[in-house]
Amino acid sequence: SQQGEEDPQALSIQEGENATMNCSYKTSINNLQWYRQNSGRGLVHLILIRSNEREKHSGRLRVTLDTSKKSSSLLITASRAADTASYFCATDARSSNTGKLIFGQGTTLQVKP
Amino acid sequence: GAVVSQHPSRVICKSGTSVKIECRSLDFQATTMFWYRQFPKQSLMLMATSNEGSKATYEQGVEKDKFLINHASLTLSTLTVTSAHPEDSSFYICSARALSGHVWDTQYFGPGTRLTVL
């Protein structure tokens, strides 16, 4: 079942601009992960942020987590055409210890050169 | 990050035949492997959770006799689509995850298998 909502569903920006994607979820979580998927490919792991963390950086990526609002955001700075892809957030429900992830619907990002 | 492979990457088969997809974690031992299905322009749909040496746990609505899962070792899981029909055509993705103590590590995904049933 999908518990995550992501917005926007689609985002189109110019190269060099920043892209922000948001994810909301419904239940308490242990951690939240962001993935990227290029068309027809598997998912590439970007960042894992644990429930006791508020912000995490990796290169041009910045992820925030607000557990009180049950939301997370992914910021890509200085975007490049190669960042064009779909981005998904996925959560580990605290109530379950199966390792299962619940995925959001994804945001399709297009970066125009 | 860790590497998960899938084979084959693409398969075309005739209706009524069975297709086996392999998923391997190449550089770590996976406590659990997962199988997903993805339709065009949609998110991933979890089909089943698989642990080594035990029966897979299927999500609601997924036919266990249709999608046979075997998890032979900590690094290999297979999904067999039995008596495939055109409606089984889809993108199948596996993933693998390790449990360190009581904490789950990152879930790593394979590159996916595109199945086309004629």
Side-chain angles (χ1 to χ4, degrees):
Chain A
S1 63
Q2 309 294 341
Q3 81 148 336
E5 294 285 333
E6 292 186 61
D7 83 274
Q9 289 189 341
L11 181 60
S12 182
I13 59 175
Q14 292 295 133
E15 206 165 27
E17 293 180 340
N18 295 341
T20 299
M21 288 159 265
N22 302 296
C23 166
S24 61
Y25 54 91
K26 296 176 183 173
T27 62
S28 295
I29 62 171
N30 288 321
N31 60 61
L32 184 146
Q33 301 182 60
W34 282 92
Y35 291 87
R36 184 185 75 229
Q37 185 182 33
N38 291 86
S39 182
R41 302 289 185 91
L43 274 68
V44 173
H45 180 257
L46 298 177
I47 289 183
L48 180 152
I49 186 165
R50 300 203 182 275
S51 61
N52 61 352
E53 296 176 309
R54 292 295 166 258
E55 189 170 310
K56 221 166 178 182
H57 297 252
S58 176
R60 293 183 296 113
L61 307 180
R62 189 188 96 176
V63 166
T64 62
L65 179 65
D66 186 336
T67 52
S68 66
K69 294 181 179 177
K70 291 187 169 58
S71 68
S72 175
S73 68
L74 169 66
L75 168 67
I76 304 174
T77 60
S79 64
R80 304 168 182 167
D83 294 329
T84 295
S86 292
Y87 291 82
F88 295 93
C89 69
T91 54
D92 261 294
R94 184 166 291 171
S95 60
S96 162
N97 198 35
T98 61
K100 282 166 50 170
L101 292 180
I102 302 173
F103 278 83
Q105 294 301 314
T107 294
T108 300
L109 172 66
Q110 181 185 30
V111 181
K112 299 176 185 173
Chain B
V3 178
V4 175
S5 71
Q6 255 181 268
H7 178 79
S9 58
R10 194 177 286 270
V11 58
I12 300 172
C13 68
K14 292 183 180 178
S15 191
T17 61
S18 294
V19 174
K20 181 186 281 188
I21 303 169
E22 283 190 357
C23 178
R24 292 180 186 272
S25 56
L26 297 184
D27 51 2
F28 70 104
Q29 293 190 320
T31 308
T32 303
M33 288 184 166
F34 303 87
W35 287 95
Y36 295 84
R37 185 172 179 176
Q38 186 178 33
F39 293 102
K41 299 190 189 303
Q42 292 190 24
S43 188
L44 279 70
M45 182 190 80
L46 180 64
M47 298 174 67
T49 302
S50 170
N51 293 294
E52 182 231 357
S54 61
K55 290 184 179 179
T57 302
Y58 290 81
E59 294 298 303
Q60 194 172 6
V62 178
E63 299 176 58
K64 61 178 75 171
D65 294 330
K66 174 76 171 174
F67 299 100
L68 298 178
I69 292 172
N70 181 272
H71 197 143
S73 72
L74 286 174
T75 59
L76 173 63
S77 176
T78 61
L79 168 70
T80 301
V81 183
T82 62
S83 187
H85 288 97
E87 58 266 30
D88 298 324
S89 298
S90 193
F91 193 54
Y92 293 88
I93 309 176
C94 74
S95 67
R97 201 168 192 191
L99 182 63
S100 301
H102 298 289
V103 178
W104 284 100
D105 291 335
T106 298
Q107 187 167 139
Y108 293 101
F109 285 79
T113 296
R114 172 75 57 195
L115 171 63
T116 303
V117 185
L118 304 176

